[in-house]
């Protein structure tokens, strides 16, 4: 649905008629805010094109610098106090814009400036519009999210809205490489706020039918198995060796299903290495597993279960050890998350009963995990634009999601501001 003024006027007329006949199923929209969101759509498209043209692959330091320069200037124009901080490791600066207002509550908005695409991707996948779709590398994930945040601030500023104690915007540049250099900053800042809204994309109509928000996401991790044995001549004295490869195979088999008994853990062995030459019993072997975590205590439980298995050897006199390392923490939405989601649904319903789907979870990681780590702020994910093709090719956003997403973003903040903390 595209919000043209004429359609809106007709809807309003239809609404007032239905008010006379019976109570409407949903509240009327904030007409001034809706008009502002509609008026902003062309400018959002310009911002999207500007940002997609600045390629910012997560490993491309010069590209990330150009993108951060652009976004920093945009944030400064919106009047916040803008800080540019180096990531604690890897590429990508962190932009933090702080706004102090006249209200009571503390809000934080997050999105990321990096993409998964290598420099030069634009040459084969240029920016183009086809009907309701606007294509470009990174346009949904997550330049659409940055655009929604920038234009939400613009709309609120133009309306003179300052009903917050603190409104903080945090954009990082290493989300696609696990946010190792920005995660701690996001977690620490989130703990100073009451509500964090995260602007990753929501799936397009072609895959999800309706726009949505996300209630939880898996955390990531790795498990590493190392076996130390003893080498010997494989032909002349095999029994003098302690075969690390055999022991590794035994350990991999006996732990293949280990996570199935641990709530919130998933483990899959994916890589292994052993042996340098064919005629030597190998003294070393190692394997690594992909780990996904949806419960905060699952990593520790997995480590304990693996340690227990390390005691049961098949090859005597080998040393076996397991190390579970966590990456991005899981985003575990709580009752406050579901409350935010219900409010978002009610706001969407104001737009001609537009539905909003609550996605229970995803296997992909998100910085909402860092934001929810301390448990202090209520966190809601997927406030960005509707789109698809992310982490694939021919990525696009749906133009008709721009107005409802701007309306949702601004209206939710305005509503939350009026509630007692
Ligand atoms: Zn993303």
């Amino acid at each position: 649905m595209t919000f043209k003024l004429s359609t809106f006027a007709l809807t309003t007329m239809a609404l007032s008629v239905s008010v006379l006949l019976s109570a409407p199923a949903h509240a009327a929209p904030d007409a001034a805010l809706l008009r502002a969101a509609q008026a902003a759509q062309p400018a959002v498209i310009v911002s999207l094109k500007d940002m997609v043209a600045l390629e910012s692959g997560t490993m491309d330091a010069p590209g990330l610098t150009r993108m951060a320069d652009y976004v920093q200037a945009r944030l400064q124009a919106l009047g916040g106090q803008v800080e540019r901080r180096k990531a604690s490791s890897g590429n990508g600066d962190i932009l933090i814009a702080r706004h102090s207002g006249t209200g009571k509550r503390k809000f934080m908005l997050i999105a990321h400036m990096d993409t998964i695409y290598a420099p030069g991707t634009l040459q084969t996948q240029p920016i183009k519009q086809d009907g309701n779709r606007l294509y470009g590398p990174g346009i949904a994930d997550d330049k659409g999210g940055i655009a929604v945040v920038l234009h939400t601030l613009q709309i609120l500023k133009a309306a003179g809205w300052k009903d917050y104690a603190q409104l903080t915007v945090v954009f990082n540049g290493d989300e696609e490489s696990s946010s190792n250099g920005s995660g701690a900053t996001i977690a620490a800042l989130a703990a100073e706020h009451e509500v964090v809204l995260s602007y990753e994309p929501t799936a397009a109509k072609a895959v999800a039918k309706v726009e949505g928000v996300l209630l939880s996401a898996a955390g990531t991790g790795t498990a590493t198995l190392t076996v130390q044995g003893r080498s010997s001549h494989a032909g002349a004295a095999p029994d003098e060796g302690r075969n690390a490869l055999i022991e590794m195979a035994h350990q991999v088999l006996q732990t293949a299903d280990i996570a199935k008994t641990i709530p919130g853990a998933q483990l899959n062995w994916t890589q292994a290495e052993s042996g340098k030459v064919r005629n030597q019993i190998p003294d070393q072997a190692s394997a690594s597993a992909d780990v996904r975590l949806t419960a905060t205590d699952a990593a520790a439980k997995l480590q304990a279960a693996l340690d227990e298995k390390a005691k049961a050897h098949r090859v005597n006199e080998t040393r076996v050890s397991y190390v579970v390392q966590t990456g991005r923490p899981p985003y575990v939405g709580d009752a406050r998350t579901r409350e935010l989601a219900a409010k978002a649904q009610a706001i969407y319903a104001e737009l001609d009963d537009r539905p909003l789907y609550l996605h229970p979870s995803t296997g992909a990681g998100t910085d909402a995990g860092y934001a929810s780590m301390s448990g202090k702020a209520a966190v809601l994910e997927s406030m960005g634009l509707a789109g698809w093709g992310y982490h694939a090719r021919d990525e696009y956003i749906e133009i008709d999601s721009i107005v409802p997403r701007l309306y949702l973003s601004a209206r939710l903040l305005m509503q939350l501001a009026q509630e007692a903390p």
Side-chain angles (χ1 to χ4, degrees):
M1 174 164 119
T2 312
F3 290 94
K4 295 189 186 101
L5 261 179
S6 53
T7 322
F8 175 57
L10 284 172
T11 312
T12 314
M13 278 166 63
L15 253 177
S16 22
V17 171
S18 74
V19 167
L20 292 174
L21 300 173
S22 64
H26 53 83
D30 177 329
L33 179 58
L34 184 54
R35 272 196 305 276
Q38 286 160 341
Q41 179 172 307
V44 172
I45 290 173
V46 171
S47 298
L48 286 168
K49 288 179 175 170
D50 282 353
M51 289 191 282
V52 173
L54 296 166
E55 290 188 297
S56 54
T58 196
M59 294 302 169
D60 174 13
L64 288 166
T65 299
R66 285 190 291 271
M67 175 70 181
D69 288 346
Y70 173 88
V71 178
Q72 183 174 4
R74 294 290 304 265
L75 285 170
Q76 272 157 348
L78 289 163
Q81 262 204 332
V82 183
E83 181 196 347
R84 184 159 173 170
R85 205 182 272 189
K86 279 257 157 281
S88 63
S89 66
N91 289 322
D93 292 349
I94 308 163
L95 294 174
I96 303 163
R98 294 180 173 89
H99 301 253
S100 299
T102 52
K104 290 195 181 70
R105 307 199 68 189
K106 294 178 176 176
F107 304 116
M108 178 163 142
L109 315 179
I110 64 173
H112 63 92
M113 297 182 281
D114 59 322
T115 76
I116 61 139
Y117 303 97
T121 303
L122 264 178
Q123 284 167 17
T124 52
Q125 297 177 51
I127 300 167
K128 64 168 192 225
Q129 188 177 337
D130 181 8
N132 187 38
R133 293 181 180 181
L134 185 62
Y135 288 85
I139 194 161
D141 184 12
D142 188 27
K143 293 180 176 181
I146 305 249
V148 173
V149 172
L150 292 176
H151 288 273
T152 296
L153 293 179
Q154 181 80 62
I155 287 169
L156 293 173
K157 186 178 179 228
W161 185 82
K162 295 198 82 172
D163 193 9
Y164 48 82
Q166 191 75 40
L167 178 61
T168 307
V169 175
V170 182
F171 294 149
N172 57 340
D174 64 348
E175 196 275 343
E176 300 294 4
S177 36
S178 293
S179 307
N180 288 327
S182 63
T185 296
I186 292 170
L189 287 169
E192 297 169 9
H193 293 77
E194 292 162 57
V195 176
V196 178
L197 302 178
S198 181
Y199 289 76
E200 290 283 4
T202 178
K205 285 188 254 314
V207 258
K209 291 203 176 76
V210 296
E211 288 137 26
V213 288
L214 179 67
L215 305 182
S216 73
T220 56
T222 54
T224 310
L225 159 66
T226 6
V227 181
Q228 178 70 51
R230 190 163 75 217
S231 55
S232 68
H233 194 298
D239 295 342
E240 281 180 24
R242 296 292 177 264
N243 195 322
L245 174 56
I246 302 268
E247 181 59 31
M248 182 191 78
H250 167 67
Q251 293 291 334
V252 164
L253 283 174
Q254 70 166 353
T255 56
D257 293 326
I258 198 162
K260 295 200 169 136
T261 57
I262 301 166
Q266 176 184 304
L267 172 144
N268 284 289
W269 293 110
T270 49
Q271 291 175 299
E273 209 175 20
S274 181
K276 293 179 192 75
V277 288
R278 188 199 33 84
N279 54 1
Q280 182 187 43
I281 298 292
D283 65 343
Q284 282 181 347
S286 63
S288 15
D290 180 87
V291 170
R292 303 283 152 155
L293 303 157
T294 53
T296 34
D297 59 352
K301 285 183 178 165
L302 182 61
Q303 178 71 62
L306 289 168
D307 287 345
E308 198 51 40
K309 290 288 185 191
K311 294 174 187 164
H313 290 208
R314 153 107 194 238
V315 182
N316 290 335
E317 297 174 77
T318 51
R319 280 207 309 277
V320 175
S321 69
Y322 288 99
V323 177
V324 175
Q325 272 178 312
T326 54
R328 201 194 307 270
Y331 156 51
V332 187
D334 56 13
R336 296 171 304 164
T337 298
R338 290 188 292 278
E339 238 174 78
L340 285 172
K343 281 173 187 144
Q345 271 184 323
I347 291 168
Y348 247 51
E350 293 172 0
L351 303 175
D352 225 1
D353 270 335
R354 197 180 183 94
L356 184 76
Y357 182 70
L358 310 186
H359 294 278
S361 68
T362 174
T366 142
D367 284 336
Y370 284 111
S372 62
M373 213 167 141
S374 72
K376 289 195 176 138
V379 183
L380 185 63
E381 176 58 282
S382 284
M383 294 283 293
L385 294 177
W388 199 241
Y390 22 96
H391 293 226
R393 56 169 299 125
D394 299 329
E395 184 171 330
Y396 65 88
I397 58 105
E398 290 177 323
I399 293 169
D400 67 357
S401 72
I402 293 174
V403 171
R405 291 271 138 172
L406 284 178
Y407 182 81
L408 169 64
S409 175
R411 179 91 171 73
L412 184 57
L413 288 171
M414 290 164 80
Q415 188 181 325
L416 291 169
Q418 290 180 359
E419 294 169 2

